[in-house]
Amino acid sequence: MGPPRLTFSASPSPSSSPLSSHFNPRLGCLTLRRNDVTGTTVKIDTPGLLTTSSRGLIPHLSRDHVNSTAAIRWVNIPFETFLERTPPILTIINNSPRPLHDFFKYDASKHIVCLQARDPSDGRDMPSNGKDYCSVRCIRGVRKLHVSDWNSYTSSTYPDVIIALSDVPLTPPPHSQKRVNKSLERSTQWLLESLSPVPPDPEDRPNLLVHLAGGINPSARQAFSQALTETLIGPEADKVKPLKNLDAAVTGYTFDLTPLRKALKQDAEADKTLVHLIQTSLQPLPFEKPRILNSVRGPQDILRLISTTGVDLFDSRWAVDLATFGVALDFAFPVSSSPIGPSPTRTRENGKIDIGHNIYDGRYATDFNRLSRLFLDGRSKFSIPTSTDFADTAQRWCPCAACSPVSPRTQLKHSQADEHVPDPSTPLEYHPAYTRAYIHHLLHTHEMSAHALLTTHNLSVVDRFFADIRGVLERDGVDKFREEVQTFRNRYDDDEIVGDNTQGLGEDFEVEVVGGIVGREAKRDWGSVDKARGKGRLARDKEKSGAAVLEEAEVA
């Protein structure tokens, strides 16, 4: 049994103008075909989303949540979090054809598992990488991950997709030209070592993604991409026979925005610079390979990068982070002129509305509406007659566990007393959606289920967001898509707060908080609720009580 095969088909979107650009928005489909007795395939339509994990698991979600959430199809697993012991636990569980799927309980018929060395969203300073190792971080501190060890780990864990080790400088910027040159040389050499020896049969080769190196130096980025496609000679050519160049063994390309934004922190035109850097890397490379991007900040970022670089797959960590801070996403693309529910998101002083609701806010304590006003819940969707004016609206619904809860079709039988076992063939029956007031209560009582419900909801909203992007591109073409992108930018708050917009929201928060103003406010409220318990709680309560007594005395 050989490794699964990952293929990608890309096609330019319809447009009234000729599509000669290498960076126009495009439609595509990633297909993973398993070369085993099952012969199953997993398909991801693009543009689409991937899901990041923490120690192999989606934050807040149980295995049942993961398997019931259709938005989760591609899971990135950072390997560095398992390096606290030797050998890493993931390398000693290879008692099955798919040890990662079995260990983390991912469904091989639904989920693509991708293994990478580092968490791409972790922008903390790190020691310098060496000639043959990359510095990574685990719960016991910084470790040196040698290239030979990484190749051994990936060959023993059988992931569906591997991201090749790359020398990304995470020391404080700026980086000298000498350091940038070392980064290019090491990344190329490490990729060469990962490929050698090359199996003669293409079906036996792993699905390998390469991080496009070069930092914020356009010339360096172009040089690295050209090094992938140029014909190899001498000992390098011997190592990768029968391949003529490195790109022949590469399945696709990845970008990590966190180190780039860190290096561009003082650049007032950072977003434009990022687009230019991505385009510079992609220009020498073939059009037909997938482009995958990590560490986006939200829907505005996604729309801008689809429109200007033609990226295919985006990570959704920002949506999970917002769920952690109690934000329920509530936005749609294209901008909806006919919302289907009450209680909209807040409108800010700049005239733009939030992309979601801060459920920690006290205004939701008595709000008994479903999480989103732009999406129907499952029970309402199937109760709307198709002959009414709401027929089109009925297609826009949220299938998450919060908006469309259902009873499980199977049930664990613990004893003879458990006589009633649901029939798996019974049609699904949707229950009433969980309300904002209920989830507000769960958040303030520190119930973990609140974050689980918000995470499934946010991922479902993002998945629908990408489906609507594909719909506009397929139906109306690139020109109309770009018009809708501008309308979206004018309607919704930015993904990130900068400058004077941070005033009044506290001084303890980093600028990189996603979600705009609502994300910043949610993190503040999350922090205050989190501090209401745990170490120091009695002292804080005593201080509050003393302040209340003094206030009463002053009034008297």
Side-chain angles (χ1 to χ4, degrees):
M1 181 187 70
R5 301 310 310 149
L6 183 68
T7 57
F8 179 66
S9 58
S11 59
S13 305
S15 175
S16 58
S17 58
L19 283 179
S20 58
S21 173
H22 201 54
F23 313 113
N24 271 326
R26 59 184 189 173
L27 297 168
C29 183
L30 276 164
T31 304
L32 185 91
R33 175 178 54 83
R34 301 200 178 279
N35 294 328
D36 55 17
V37 293
T38 64
T40 57
T41 60
V42 183
K43 292 187 177 182
I44 303 177
D45 292 324
T46 63
L49 78 152
L50 62 85
T51 315
T52 54
S53 65
S54 174
R55 288 186 67 83
L57 302 175
I58 311 299
H60 310 304
L61 300 187
S62 69
R63 65 184 65 173
D64 292 327
H65 287 127
V66 171
N67 288 323
S68 63
T69 304
I72 301 174
R73 304 179 189 90
W74 178 302
V75 181
N76 272 358
I77 299 180
F79 192 81
E80 63 180 350
T81 55
F82 299 95
L83 291 174
E84 73 275 6
R85 56 165 292 170
T86 304
I89 189 171
L90 296 185
T91 64
I92 59 177
I93 57 171
N94 54 353
N95 54 353
S96 71
R98 289 182 290 272
L100 296 179
H101 284 83
D102 293 343
F103 186 74
F104 296 113
K105 300 303 179 184
Y106 292 119
D107 189 336
S109 65
K110 297 180 181 178
H111 302 131
I112 298 173
V113 173
C114 175
L115 199 64
Q116 57 190 126
R118 298 195 71 254
D119 181 354
S121 63
D122 186 354
R124 291 176 291 179
D125 291 343
M126 294 281 287
S128 296
N129 301 324
K131 180 179 179 181
D132 62 348
Y133 68 85
C134 175
S135 295
V136 296
R137 191 188 301 273
C138 66
I139 60 174
R140 294 187 180 274
V142 176
R143 293 286 189 271
K144 294 179 180 179
L145 178 59
H146 290 268
V147 180
S148 57
D149 292 335
W150 172 245
N151 295 336
S152 173
Y153 296 153
T154 56
S155 63
S156 63
T157 52
Y158 305 109
D160 295 328
V161 183
I162 302 167
I163 298 181
L165 205 61
S166 181
D167 180 21
V168 179
L170 287 175
T171 52
H175 304 114
S176 66
Q177 184 63 46
K178 181 180 179 180
R179 179 64 185 92
V180 173
N181 291 340
K182 279 188 176 181
S183 172
L184 302 186
E185 294 169 3
R186 290 172 181 171
S187 298
T188 304
Q189 183 62 33
W190 294 354
L191 176 60
L192 194 69
E193 294 181 23
S194 297
L195 296 174
S196 179
V198 178
D201 187 352
E203 293 292 318
D204 293 332
R205 298 170 190 169
N207 301 307
L208 192 68
L209 303 179
V210 62
H211 174 267
L212 296 182
I216 61 172
N217 187 322
S219 299
R221 300 193 72 89
Q222 185 180 45
F224 181 79
S225 296
Q226 290 173 343
L228 295 179
T229 56
E230 66 184 12
T231 302
L232 298 173
I233 58 175
E236 292 181 344
D238 295 336
K239 282 187 176 181
V240 294
K241 283 183 178 180
L243 304 179
K244 293 184 178 180
N245 56 49
L246 295 176
D247 192 67
V250 172
T251 307
Y253 315 109
T254 69
F255 300 89
D256 296 343
L257 295 189
T258 295
L260 297 179
R261 284 204 172 100
K262 183 178 178 181
L264 293 172
K265 193 171 183 179
Q266 305 302 323
D267 188 347
E269 300 289 334
D271 288 336
K272 292 183 179 179
T273 304
L274 280 175
V275 169
H276 174 63
L277 294 174
I278 294 173
Q279 291 179 344
T280 301
S281 290
L282 291 174
Q283 184 65 55
L285 299 173
F287 174 84
E288 64 273 6
K289 294 189 179 182
R291 307 162 180 178
I292 300 171
L293 195 143
N294 293 302
S295 309
V296 291
R297 298 177 303 195
Q300 302 277 17
D301 230 8
I302 292 170
L303 290 173
R304 177 171 54 253
L305 290 166
I306 290 177
S307 182
T308 56
T309 64
V311 172
D312 304 298
L313 217 57
F314 297 82
D315 83 318
S316 56
R317 183 187 179 97
W318 62 275
V320 177
D321 286 346
L322 287 176
T324 300
F325 299 135
V327 175
L329 293 178
D330 191 7
F331 67 91
F333 180 87
V335 173
S336 175
S337 59
S338 57
I340 54 181
S343 189
T345 54
R346 293 178 61 180
T347 301
R348 300 295 174 173
E349 293 182 0
N350 59 8
K352 296 183 179 183
I353 64 175
D354 293 337
I355 62 170
H357 305 271
N358 171 19
I359 306 297
Y360 272 111
D361 196 316
R363 66 198 288 252
Y364 295 104
T366 55
D367 187 340
F368 297 101
N369 295 296
R370 58 179 174 263
L371 288 178
S372 175
R373 77 171 186 136
L374 297 177
F375 300 87
L376 289 171
D377 57 272
R379 197 172 204 187
S380 299
K381 167 183 164 59
F382 294 103
S383 65
I384 293 181
T386 56
S387 59
T388 69
D389 294 337
F390 295 97
D392 294 335
T393 302
Q395 302 304 315
R396 184 153 38 90
W397 69 296
C398 182
C400 76
C403 297
S404 305
V406 296
S407 298
R409 292 186 176 185
T410 59
Q411 181 176 318
L412 295 177
K413 192 172 183 179
H414 298 284
S415 68
Q416 295 292 336
D418 297 332
E419 295 181 357
H420 174 68
V421 178
D423 183 357
S425 63
T426 303
L428 288 177
E429 178 182 355
Y430 291 98
H431 301 296
Y434 293 110
T435 65
R436 299 170 185 173
Y438 176 66
I439 296 180
H440 172 86
H441 159 73
L442 294 179
L443 289 170
H444 281 265
T445 54
H446 307 281
E447 287 286 347
M448 293 186 294
S449 56
H451 301 288
L453 292 172
L454 288 172
T455 299
T456 61
H457 171 78
N458 286 358
L459 290 176
S460 297
V461 170
V462 174
D463 190 41
R464 179 66 200 214
F465 171 62
F466 279 109
D468 289 337
I469 289 173
R470 297 192 298 270
V472 172
L473 287 172
E474 185 174 10
R475 181 178 61 253
D476 302 319
V478 173
D479 299 333
K480 180 64 174 177
F481 169 75
R482 287 179 171 145
E483 291 178 14
E484 295 292 354
V485 169
Q486 188 58 47
T487 302
F488 188 94
R489 291 182 61 83
N490 295 336
R491 178 62 170 160
Y492 287 101
D493 190 28
D494 294 332
D495 297 331
E496 183 181 31
I497 303 174
V498 295
D500 294 337
N501 291 334
T502 60
Q503 294 180 359
L505 297 177
E507 300 178 355
D508 300 330
F509 305 102
E510 299 177 356
V511 172
E512 288 77 10
V513 173
V514 297
I517 298 177
V518 69
R520 194 61 78 87
E521 291 177 344
K523 185 172 182 180
R524 178 195 61 199
D525 295 342
W526 167 82
S528 63
V529 171
D530 188 58
K531 289 180 179 178
R533 62 173 184 173
K535 185 176 181 180
R537 178 180 62 83
L538 295 178
R540 289 191 294 270
D541 289 347
K542 184 177 180 180
E543 183 180 348
K544 289 181 181 179
S545 299
V549 170
L550 288 175
E551 185 177 350
E552 291 177 1
E554 290 176 359
V555 172

